[in-house]
Amino acid sequence: MQKIEAIIQPSKLDAVKDALVEIGIEGITILEARGHGRQKGHTEFYRGREYSVDLLPKVKIEIVTRDEMVEKTIQAIMTAARTGTIGDGKIFVSKIDEAIRIRNDERGEIAL
Amino acid sequence: MFGVPGGRQALAQTAPVTAPASAGSQADRIAALEKQNADNVAAIAAAQTAGDNGWMLVSAALVLMMSGPGLALFYGGLVRKKNILGTMMQTFAMMAVITVLWALVSYSLAFGEGNAFIGGLHNVFLRGVGLAPDIKYAATIPLQTFMVYQLMFAIITPALITGAFAERMKFSAMLIFMVLWALFVYSPMAHMVWGKGGLLNASLGGRFPCLDFAGGTVVHVTSGVSALVTALYLGKRLGYPKVPMPPHSVVLSFIGACLLWVGWFGFNAGSALAAGTLATSAFVATHFGAAAAAIGWSAAEWLRQGKVSALGAISGAVAGLVGITPAAGFVSPMSALWLGLIVGVFCYFMVVKVKATFGYDDSLDAFGVHGAGGTLGAILTGVFANSAINPIFGAGNATGLLEGNAHQLLNQLTGVAIAWTISIIGTLIILFLVDKTIGLRVDEESERIGLDLSQHGEEGYDWAH
């Protein structure tokens, strides 16, 4: 089992969700997030005062899935979330030791 | 006769005339015609009264709408989210506290008989303020309508000041400050400009006839200048100007500003105190002034920053409404456009450049918009006032500078100078008294967690539910 965390542009959320459903991903978790990568943020003006906003709104998607689904999932997210401009986000993959379904004690991949 | 219901119906019923049955002598016919004439005059007067009173009650409600949703939302959106309720409550508290104070004593101090500077105590507890009109103030509406209409101005004026000390004043100190301010700054100023025998009253024979149709000096200069004094006395917010303090919801401010624009028709056109042509003229001037100022501020912003912001556009409109307030009943539509444009650019300059240069923390720009816009508006009223719109000095007598009455500019400056003086001195004394007794400012910890929690024990936004 592995966890895929993808930080994407909020406007790409629907496209990514559709792509994930298409390849058969069942469980996803979405978090509203703020952050920045290398490019930092932008500048806003309120009554002539300049504010630099370096924590930009992002959406973070978390998916835990079987090992053989990982590459497919990454490709789906890459295709759906890419605009080609700066700030498109990142994907992180990590190992998961255990998964447990709270309702009925199921463990491992069957609990996903 | 006042408050006669169904004035217009009465007119319709008396209109058809049937000749008396006898129809004999000429004297009878003349008597009948005279009676009919008298009936018609009375019916027209009753209709006029009902129309005027209806408009004035609506106007009073419109002005209250400027405070409640209008100003509270405008200011509420401009603060950080931990202070929205504290900010809105400051305005709402004025609606309750100033109303009671007005009924008990401050109406009498503002509009009662007195000397040139302040009214007397003859009308305390609203003694003598009944349903009959006071001919000197407004001949066709009940005096109570006049009283409650003026009350709405007394509410919003101190509420405007709260923008300068937003996010750092104790609720208790704010209440005491405002009560004293209403008694010792607002009431005398209102009396001087609008009260019987007032020093600056242009229509009731004041010594320096200052034109202030709807409160340029009484409302905006006093509140704006007092706001600056309070901001300077209290000092800057913690972290200002290093910590970013952007508005937490320009959306709320946007709605608030639009409500202010609508409510301002009651403020300015209502100041005609009747539903006649002068109200129309003031209504048009108000709308034109606001629109031109929104464009003025936005254009300045566009040139300097490359973008027109929503906050800039609405700030410009409010500045224009402030600027046109003293002039509303004296200027032509074209003059209103010019006046609005000038005030819009000027207030942009005051808020963006002058505040940054001097570094004072007028949190929500109460001075930059109301003090500056009100002062310039009052002066420009002396320039643009036109006897064709309002022959306040008698038919054929020049009113403003453009008509050749340069002296009026001097009167306007006198009014402005008095408003500045009384605001600075009065506010300083009151601030000093409150500071030395219960203290003005919240402690650091309270300021850090915000006024909502520290002053009221609640939060505007509960994200968890």
Side-chain angles (χ1 to χ4, degrees):
Chain A
M1 287 180 295
Q2 298 190 39
K3 177 163 75 170
I4 298 152
E5 291 167 283
I7 296 158
I8 61 166
Q9 298 276 26
S11 60
K12 285 291 179 184
L13 176 60
D14 283 336
V16 171
K17 267 196 311 186
D18 291 346
L20 291 170
V21 168
E22 192 120 318
I23 60 165
I25 292 291
E26 285 169 338
I28 67 169
T29 306
I30 309 287
L31 299 112
E32 283 184 42
R34 282 177 184 275
H36 64 77
R38 253 179 294 177
Q39 96 281 9
K40 293 292 192 318
H42 60 250
T43 310
E44 294 176 5
F45 283 93
Y46 295 98
R47 282 182 172 162
R49 249 183 96 72
E50 193 177 327
Y51 298 89
S52 65
V53 178
D54 52 8
L55 295 175
L56 303 171
K58 298 284 173 190
V59 165
K60 186 175 173 192
I61 303 172
E62 291 187 357
I63 299 157
V64 177
T65 187
R66 303 190 306 275
D67 293 341
E68 60 268 28
M69 284 293 290
V70 171
E71 202 48 47
K72 246 173 122 177
T73 308
I74 292 170
Q75 285 311 321
I77 295 173
M78 295 280 281
T79 314
R82 180 174 289 161
T83 66
T85 55
I86 214 156
D88 270 358
K90 287 202 172 58
I91 299 176
F92 303 106
V93 183
S94 51
K95 292 239 175 310
I96 290 291
D97 295 333
E98 185 62 294
I100 302 143
R101 175 166 283 129
I102 294 173
R103 170 161 55 86
N104 57 11
D105 295 335
E106 284 172 346
R107 285 176 179 250
E109 285 189 358
I110 198 167
L112 293 179
Chain B
M1 289 284 288
F2 280 85
V4 178
R8 286 177 202 286
Q9 283 172 333
L11 181 63
Q13 281 159 9
T14 53
V17 198
T18 46
S22 60
S25 74
Q26 197 171 358
D28 283 350
R29 284 209 306 279
I30 291 171
L33 283 170
E34 276 175 349
K35 182 179 179 308
Q36 181 215 348
N37 195 31
D39 285 351
N40 282 351
V41 167
I44 289 166
Q48 172 77 39
T49 299
D52 287 351
N53 196 34
W55 166 237
M56 291 313 299
L57 291 174
V58 168
S59 287
L62 281 170
V63 180
L64 188 68
M65 187 187 77
M66 290 171 67
S67 303
L71 192 71
L73 282 170
F74 186 54
Y75 278 177
L78 289 175
V79 294
R80 290 166 291 175
K81 56 176 170 273
K82 62 186 176 181
N83 290 316
I84 181 170
L85 292 181
T87 302
M88 291 179 128
M89 264 300 279
Q90 290 178 340
T91 294
F92 195 81
M94 292 304 102
M95 291 164 65
V97 173
I98 300 297
T99 297
V100 174
L101 187 73
W102 189 252
L104 298 181
V105 54
S106 47
Y107 171 78
S108 187
L109 290 179
F111 290 98
E113 303 267 3
N115 55 39
F117 300 97
I118 193 156
L121 297 174
H122 306 293
N123 300 116
V124 290
F125 311 125
L126 297 185
R127 269 193 318 220
V129 183
L131 298 176
D134 182 320
I135 308 280
K136 281 190 169 167
Y137 285 137
T140 57
I141 59 173
L143 184 54
Q144 268 187 22
T145 300
F146 176 80
M147 179 278 295
V148 85
Y149 179 69
Q150 291 296 343
L151 162 60
M152 302 313 175
F153 285 66
I155 289 171
I156 197 169
T157 307
L160 293 170
I161 305 174
T162 64
F165 57 68
E167 307 195 297
R168 57 196 187 280
M169 195 159 176
K170 278 202 276 195
F171 186 64
S172 55
M174 190 277 306
L175 289 175
I176 297 173
F177 170 80
M178 288 307 186
V179 166
L180 295 173
W181 192 88
L183 289 173
F184 298 112
V185 178
Y186 186 79
S187 291
M189 197 63 213
H191 182 79
M192 277 187 262
V193 176
W194 295 327
K196 290 172 194 165
L199 183 74
L200 304 166
N201 196 317
S203 53
L204 295 175
R207 192 137 173 253
F208 301 98
C210 169
L211 302 178
D212 186 357
F213 193 71
T217 49
V218 178
V219 174
H220 298 291
V221 175
T222 56
S223 65
V225 173
S226 300
L228 179 64
V229 172
T230 315
L232 290 171
Y233 191 102
L234 271 179
K236 298 168 188 174
R237 287 167 290 178
L238 284 180
Y240 184 91
K242 291 219 173 74
V243 178
M245 300 174 182
H248 89 279
S249 173
V250 178
V251 175
L252 295 185
S253 298
F254 193 94
I255 300 168
C258 292
L259 287 166
L260 282 172
W261 190 331
V262 176
W264 227 291
F265 292 125
F267 200 91
N268 285 6
S271 287
L273 297 171
T277 51
L278 188 57
T280 300
S281 179
F283 193 113
V284 171
T286 300
H287 193 55
F288 284 20
I295 292 171
W297 185 305
S298 300
E301 203 175 43
W302 209 338
L303 287 173
R304 282 176 51 93
Q305 272 144 230
K307 286 194 177 86
V308 175
S309 70
L311 182 57
I314 59 175
S315 303
V318 173
L321 290 160
V322 168
I324 197 68
T325 291
F330 300 112
V331 299
S332 70
M334 291 306 118
S335 297
L337 285 179
W338 281 114
L339 192 150
L341 194 69
I342 297 167
V343 171
V345 174
F346 178 69
C347 287
Y348 169 83
F349 175 75
M350 289 299 293
V351 164
V352 172
K353 280 299 283 183
V354 174
K355 187 168 80 158
T357 306
F358 289 96
Y360 52 86
D361 185 12
D362 174 6
S363 320
L364 315 181
D365 300 306
F367 173 71
V369 173
H370 297 276
T375 299
L376 184 60
I379 293 167
L380 290 178
T381 301
V383 174
F384 289 114
N386 186 336
S387 60
I389 304 296
N390 188 344
I392 188 164
F393 298 136
N397 290 333
T399 312
L401 178 68
L402 290 182
E403 273 191 303
N405 182 14
H407 192 68
Q408 191 51 37
L409 211 50
L410 213 59
N411 290 333
Q412 296 305 107
L413 287 169
T414 307
V416 166
I418 290 177
W420 273 73
T421 308
I422 188 174
S423 301
I424 292 172
I425 296 174
T427 305
L428 268 179
I429 294 173
I430 295 166
L431 286 170
F432 182 80
L433 288 176
V434 179
D435 194 24
K436 294 301 164 201
T437 48
I438 63 166
L440 286 166
R441 197 168 166 152
V442 295
D443 59 63
E444 278 196 30
E445 180 58 18
S446 302
E447 191 175 333
R448 210 165 275 127
I449 65 170
L451 301 186
D452 291 10
L453 265 177
S454 73
Q455 304 299 297
H456 305 287
E458 48 188 351
E459 288 181 272
Y461 303 98
D462 181 356
W463 295 118
H465 295 98

